[in-house]
């Protein structure tokens, strides 16, 4: 490479995108196009960056597979920043294999980091852990090491392992200080602040208490029967019983937990589970059926006994019942949690991350837009959705697969 290309690459490595563009802004050769694309990405001009990187990849062609693979990795990172999660991961996997074949371990490691971050966004925590584990076998630059530790910290937080997350953030801070990139240091500082913010609320019969992530972790390890309103399920001693796809059963067990240690009245249970304040005999019959289903599901954790007034939840071994509710009570809480990162999301990416239909996401976004809580940017296929950051608490427990099945 010539002197201007080398100087531009060094400027980009330190985060000086404008300095890099000053040297190559008017050049149209493939190496310059690739560097221009990376610089535009650092400046937040992601569509333009993607176009430049694709032009560079076409310019390199099949005769320069190494340079072409580097462009694919850079474009994958731009797609991740644009929250284009529909992009086929196969191209990135092929590029990583090409980079490994040519002993370009630095860019191969960057490709693996991009893949791991995409898997984290989609809630595929086991896949992300395997991808990050492969990075431990190679040596990383300070900047890549900091990003890798940030990803490990997020993985630990999503699994409610706050001690591991703190250790990873400490290593990330050391690596970022060595790299000297201000944006990276700011991202690590923001990640550290999540540990001090409320992540959930523990609701009692008469009051409620805000809990940090470490306090939620301690509660789950205490042996209490936890009715988790963030992930919608029951948990005790590592056993996890999901009810996200059985909303009636979860509404019933939540009502029983709210009334604990007392019983919940039949009218209250019918109102919360069936959303009616005027019950008749059909509702009471349905309540008996649903209570029977809930009783069978919760049998390893506790008993549900009938009382003169209604029903009562009695955990085994005389343990307590704890009800966790999210910091944000909304039917679209998971959607808002994804949008809280400040990035612009497409409806298809949101549907993929939430494992639901795109039409369901569109209806939810329309409701939130009418309330002024989200706004659209662009039109047609280029339309993206953004929301103001949610301050004062963390939505980590509302993200996809935040609590792995025990």
């Amino acid at each position: 490479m010539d002197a201007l290309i080398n100087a531009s690459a060094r400027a980009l490595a330190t985060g000086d995108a404008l300095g890099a563009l000053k040297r190559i802004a008017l050049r149209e050769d493939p190496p310059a196009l690739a560097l221009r694309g990376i610089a535009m990405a650092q400046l937040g001009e992601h569509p333009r960056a993607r176009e430049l990187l694709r032009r560079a990849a076409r310019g390199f062609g099949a005769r320069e597979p190494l340079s072409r693979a580097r462009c694919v990795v850079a474009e994958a990172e731009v797609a991740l920043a644009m929250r284009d999660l529909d992009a086929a991961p196969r191209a990135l996997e092929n590029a990583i294999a090409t980079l490994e074949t040519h002993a370009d371990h630095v860019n191969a490691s960057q490709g693996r980091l991009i893949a791991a971050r995409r898997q984290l966004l989609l809630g595929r925590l086991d896949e992300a852990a395997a991808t990050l584990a492969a990075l431990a076998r190679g040596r990383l630059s300070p900047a890549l090491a900091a990003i890798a530790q940030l990803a490990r910290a997020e993985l630990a937080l999503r699994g409610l392992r706050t001690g591991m997350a703190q250790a990873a953030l400490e290593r990330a801070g050391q690596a970022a200080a060595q790299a000297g990139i201000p944006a990276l240091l700011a991202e690590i500082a923001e990640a550290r602040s999540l540990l001090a913010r409320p992540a959930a609320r523990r609701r009692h019969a008469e009051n409620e208490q805000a809990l940090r992530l470490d306090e939620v972790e301690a509660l789950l390890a205490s042996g209490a029967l936890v009715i988790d309103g963030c992930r919608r399920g029951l948990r005790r001693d590592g056993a996890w019983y999901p009810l996200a796809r059985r909303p009636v059963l979860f509404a019933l067990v939540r009502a029983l937990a709210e009334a604990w240690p007392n019983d919940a009245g039949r009218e209250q249970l019918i109102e919360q589970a069936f959303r009616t304040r005027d019950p008749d005999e059909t509702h009471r019959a349905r309540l008996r059926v649903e209570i029977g289903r809930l009783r069978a599901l919760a049998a390893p954790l506790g008993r549900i006994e009938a009382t003169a007034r209604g029903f009562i939840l009695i955990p085994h071994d005389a343990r307590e019942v704890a009800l966790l509710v999210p910091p944000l009570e909304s039917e679209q809480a998971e959607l808002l949690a994804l949008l809280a990162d400040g990035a612009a999301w497409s409806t298809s990416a949101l549907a993929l991350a939430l494992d639901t239909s795109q039409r369901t996401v569109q209806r939810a976004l329309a409701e939130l837009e009418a309330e002024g809580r989200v706004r659209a940017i662009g039109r047609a296929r280029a339309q993206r959705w953004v929301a103001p950051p949610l301050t004062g608490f963390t939505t980590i427990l509302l993200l996809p697969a935040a609590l792995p099945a025990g």
Side-chain angles (χ1 to χ4, degrees):
M1 291 189 293
D2 58 43
L4 286 177
I5 292 292
N6 281 326
S8 178
R10 286 195 297 270
L12 286 176
T14 61
D16 184 9
L18 292 177
L21 285 174
K22 287 179 182 178
R23 296 170 172 85
I24 55 169
L26 300 179
R27 292 179 53 166
E28 293 289 326
D29 52 300
L33 287 173
L35 292 175
R36 284 170 59 191
I38 296 171
M40 296 303 288
Q42 290 187 3
L43 294 173
E45 297 292 334
H46 297 131
R48 177 61 174 159
R50 204 172 193 180
E51 176 189 349
L52 289 167
L53 289 167
R54 287 176 173 174
R55 286 176 56 193
R58 289 194 298 267
F60 286 122
R63 294 184 179 181
E64 299 182 69
L66 180 60
S67 297
R68 185 183 179 90
R70 289 170 178 168
C71 290
V72 171
V73 169
E75 184 187 345
E77 186 161 18
V78 172
L80 185 70
M82 295 174 66
R83 295 300 186 261
D84 182 5
L85 304 182
D86 291 327
R90 179 72 58 151
L92 179 59
E93 293 171 5
N94 293 338
I96 293 172
T98 300
L99 294 168
E100 290 285 7
T101 301
H102 290 80
D104 187 353
H105 301 301
V106 173
N107 284 299
S109 297
Q110 183 174 357
R112 286 199 177 93
L113 273 175
I114 295 167
R117 289 159 58 199
R118 179 181 182 273
Q119 290 158 352
L120 283 170
L121 278 176
L122 293 174
R124 300 170 183 171
L125 305 189
D126 292 338
E127 294 179 19
T131 304
L132 290 172
L135 288 171
R137 296 192 290 269
R139 298 185 61 184
L140 302 177
S141 66
L144 286 182
I147 296 172
Q149 293 301 333
L150 266 175
R152 291 190 176 98
E154 182 177 351
L155 181 64
L157 287 175
R158 299 279 285 277
L160 276 181
R161 298 184 293 272
T162 54
M164 294 177 61
Q166 287 175 332
L169 288 174
E170 184 64 29
R171 293 191 295 268
Q174 295 171 359
Q178 187 178 353
I181 301 177
L184 197 52
L185 290 167
E187 187 174 352
I188 294 168
E190 173 63 19
R192 281 176 171 159
S193 71
L194 297 179
L195 297 172
R197 298 178 190 170
R201 294 171 292 151
R202 181 178 179 182
R203 181 166 292 173
H204 303 273
E206 299 179 354
N207 56 16
E208 65 180 34
Q209 173 190 4
L211 300 180
R212 300 187 308 270
L213 283 169
D214 59 332
E215 293 171 329
V216 174
E217 181 184 14
L219 177 62
L220 294 180
S222 67
L225 172 54
V226 178
I227 285 74
D228 185 357
C230 299
R231 298 304 305 165
R232 293 180 174 267
L234 285 71
R235 178 179 290 271
R236 196 185 80 169
D237 295 334
W240 172 244
Y241 297 83
L243 292 174
R245 298 186 183 275
R246 305 181 74 174
V248 172
L249 294 190
F250 181 75
L252 289 174
V253 77
R254 173 168 174 164
L256 292 171
E258 287 177 339
W260 190 86
N262 301 314
D263 59 350
R266 288 177 176 81
E267 287 74 15
Q268 176 189 355
L269 293 170
I270 290 172
E271 179 180 346
Q272 293 202 23
F274 309 140
R275 298 185 178 182
T276 179
R277 296 184 180 181
D278 188 19
D280 54 26
E281 287 303 319
T282 61
H283 294 106
R284 295 184 181 91
R286 187 184 174 193
L287 175 64
R288 290 193 293 271
V289 171
E290 298 295 349
I291 285 290
R293 291 172 177 164
L294 181 61
R295 185 180 282 132
L297 183 142
L301 307 177
R303 310 188 311 276
I304 299 176
E305 295 185 354
T307 65
R309 180 170 169 264
F311 296 91
I312 186 171
L313 176 61
I314 304 176
H316 294 324
D317 304 326
R319 299 188 181 186
E320 65 175 336
V321 174
L323 173 61
L324 278 182
V325 296
L328 177 65
E329 288 275 20
S330 170
E331 292 186 0
Q332 294 87 21
E334 292 182 346
L335 181 59
L336 288 171
L338 285 174
L339 292 171
D341 62 2
W345 288 72
S346 66
T347 55
S348 59
L350 289 167
L352 190 61
L354 293 173
D355 190 23
T356 188
S357 71
Q358 193 168 341
R359 183 61 186 139
T360 299
V361 171
Q362 289 170 344
R363 285 195 297 266
L365 288 171
E367 294 175 8
L368 291 172
E369 185 180 28
E371 298 172 4
R373 302 172 77 180
V374 301
R375 62 187 177 91
I377 299 174
R379 303 184 67 179
R381 293 178 63 87
Q383 187 177 63
R384 296 293 184 270
W385 294 88
V386 296
L390 300 172
T391 59
F393 56 86
T394 174
T395 57
I396 197 77
L397 295 182
L398 299 176
L399 295 175
L403 294 178

